[in-house]
Amino acid sequence: MFTFVTALSLAATACSSSGASGTGSSTPHSGGHLTFALASDPVCVDPQQQGNNDAIYPARQLVDSLTDQDPKTGKIVPWLARSWEVSKDATTFTFHLRHGATFSDGTPVDARAVKDNFDGIVRLGAKSVLGASYLAGYQGTTVVDEDTARVRFKEPNAQFLQATSTFTLGLLARSTTRLPAAKRCTDHIVGSGPFTLVDYTPNKSVEERRRSGYTWGSSLWRKKGPAYLERLSFKVVPESGVRTGSLQSGQADAIGGVAPQDEAGLKSTGFTLLSRANPGVPFALTANTARPLTRDARVRQAIQLGVNRKEVVDTVLSPRYKPATSSLASTTTAYKNLGDRLAYAPDRAKKLLEQAGWKPGPGGIRVKDGKKLSLTVVWATNFGPNQTALELIQQQLKKIGVQISLKSHSIGDYVEVRQKGDYDYAWGNTTRVDPDILRTSFSSEGLNLSRLHDSALDSVLDEQSATADPARRAEHAARAQALVLDKGYQVPVFELTTVIGVSDKVHHLDFEASSRLQFHDTWLS
């Protein structure tokens, strides 16, 4: 009835300049205090509620997951679960936990804790955007015995095993899961991870301390036992130039969100740049199809053809970034190269708009029935080049007669703005290795922030989720990628690359499969 499942495969894994260490002493040793500069305030340090890099860097260190995913091979490997079985129809997942792991309040990481966490994530609902998707169709968890938990779904859910390797499904103690969502954002985060939360001061810092007695780390980690570092400080430094300066002056040991224009300067002055392409949904304009103008597929397709992706990358970013070639980034499992459908074709875009009844008007902006072809784009300020990239796209689309109005929001407000729906396009990306991120983004079920009602797309997204066979699943995922592009639901522009700047005294700062950071193996010389 059950088959052992040990691995998923990555279509490709890119590390453009990855690495894990500086260039100082080569002898790892315990102790030290590492300061990391974040590009934005985490807003919430609960890993089950947040998904942006600056929240996840500190939150990831507080929790362990049932499984881990090898960033080089995509293989799912043991962490808190020493083994697992998946039913042939991918509706039942049985996890056998290693014995002896505890949360930092002393309570055991057992099958009951697994049930508490998954039940709790379902209760979080829209507060856990990713968790709600990972646990779609969740029927419940059975505590088989102290160290065995069986998770059941109403329908096949092939992505779930990979989801158990993510921070979102990282386990928290009951003293945290029983609390209201808002109370968990700033305090009371009790996990079983290698670090514990000391303090989070919004817009200032997150302070963490090494947990003594920690012996249940991921099977991928170099070091067994507690982390090397005694303390971790994550300081909020929003301005990229100041962030770079803090690294150069020694106030920070490592910085996130290195601005493309600062890359060369850091390298030339002896700092190391670590980078890794993010899997998942690339940076894109995602249509709100409930709005009058973006309800017309010809308008959406014209926007698709009117964006010059190469110009955006060449002008705004650096060679570490790539123009998007599909609705999934090239490092995502089951990625399909559909770059020929994303060629810059302004003349075809103009023809489509003409067919849709939009005629050239005053100032070059097209009009129809006395109204301008003017679209509102909402975006978050958590990635430095966002504004410059959008301003260039704004200029490109004006050439085909489309006016774009840009409205920025903090990362804390962005999801709420999308839920309200007062916009035509939303700019952003979502990181995940598994292709099911397309279902999270474009299914009419769940949160459905794009207000889609497309039965053909729903069907193929459900088929990829229900298929355990990797080859067949990849076929369904490829069809889904094509549908998203052909119908103009998404205008992918470029693939995100995570770029970290480190001083030469930082060693073994490693990327996870999702291109987020883990500090367990990191040490200072």
Side-chain angles (χ1 to χ4, degrees), residues 205-361:
S205 67
V206 182
E207 302 293 334
E208 300 182 359
R209 188 177 297 279
R210 178 176 63 194
R211 187 174 171 201
S212 61
Y214 179 87
T215 59
W216 43 86
S218 165
S219 58
L220 291 174
W221 295 352
R222 297 177 175 90
K223 184 180 187 299
K224 307 303 176 187
Y228 286 116
L229 295 170
E230 175 63 31
R231 288 184 58 192
L232 272 173
S233 292
F234 297 91
K235 304 289 186 186
V236 180
V237 186
E239 208 284 312
S240 63
V242 177
R243 204 162 53 249
T244 297
S246 71
L247 179 63
Q248 293 170 321
S249 68
Q251 292 177 295
D253 302 301
I255 61 172
V258 174
Q261 67 270 19
D262 292 340
E263 290 182 12
L266 282 173
K267 283 197 73 173
S268 68
T269 50
F271 293 91
T272 300
L273 294 178
L274 309 178
S275 67
R276 189 173 191 275
N278 285 47
V281 174
F283 264 101
L285 295 168
T286 300
N288 174 0
T289 61
R291 300 276 280 190
L293 302 188
T294 47
R295 193 178 295 144
D296 189 332
R298 293 168 296 187
V299 171
R300 299 195 304 265
Q301 290 159 350
I303 302 293
Q304 184 82 275
L305 296 167
V307 173
N308 186 338
R309 294 159 181 82
K310 186 175 185 303
E311 184 182 41
V312 172
V313 171
D314 291 347
T315 306
V316 177
L317 302 167
S318 75
R320 295 175 189 273
Y321 297 79
K322 294 169 50 176
T325 50
S326 181
S327 50
L328 290 176
S330 56
T331 50
T332 316
T333 301
Y335 153 81
K336 176 74 172 177
N337 188 337
L338 300 171
D340 58 333
R341 304 182 191 209
L342 297 177
Y344 177 49
D347 291 339
R348 287 172 56 201
K350 291 175 184 175
K351 187 176 289 186
L352 275 171
L353 292 174
E354 291 283 340
Q355 292 171 358
W358 292 98
K359 306 299 181 187

Side-chain angles (χ1 to χ4, degrees), residues 363-382:
I365 303 303
R366 292 176 181 270
V367 294
K368 179 180 175 181
D369 300 330
K371 292 184 178 179
K372 283 185 177 181
L373 182 46
S374 180
L375 304 171
T376 299
V377 173
V378 294
W379 58 285
T381 54
N382 62 324

Side-chain angles (χ1 to χ4, degrees), residues 2 102 245 302 354 365 374 419 449 461:
F2 291 96
T102 60
E354 291 283 340
I365 303 303
S374 180
Q419 289 173 335
L449 296 175
L461 289 171

Side-chain angles (χ1 to χ4, degrees), residues 288 377-379 407-410 412-423 426 449 451:
N288 174 0
V377 173
V378 294
W379 58 285
K407 289 188 176 181
S408 66
H409 300 275
S410 69
D413 294 335
Y414 179 72
V415 172
E416 185 178 349
V417 168
R418 290 204 63 186
Q419 289 173 335
K420 289 180 178 175
D422 186 22
Y423 64 90
L449 296 175
R451 281 77 177 172

Side-chain angles (χ1 to χ4, degrees), residues 79-83 96-102 108-111 145-148 213 215-216:
W79 193 342
L80 288 173
R82 55 182 170 76
S83 64
H96 304 281
L97 307 180
R98 66 164 75 189
H99 192 73
T102 60
V109 180
D110 55 13
D145 60 39
E146 183 180 0
D147 296 328
T148 308
T215 59
W216 43 86

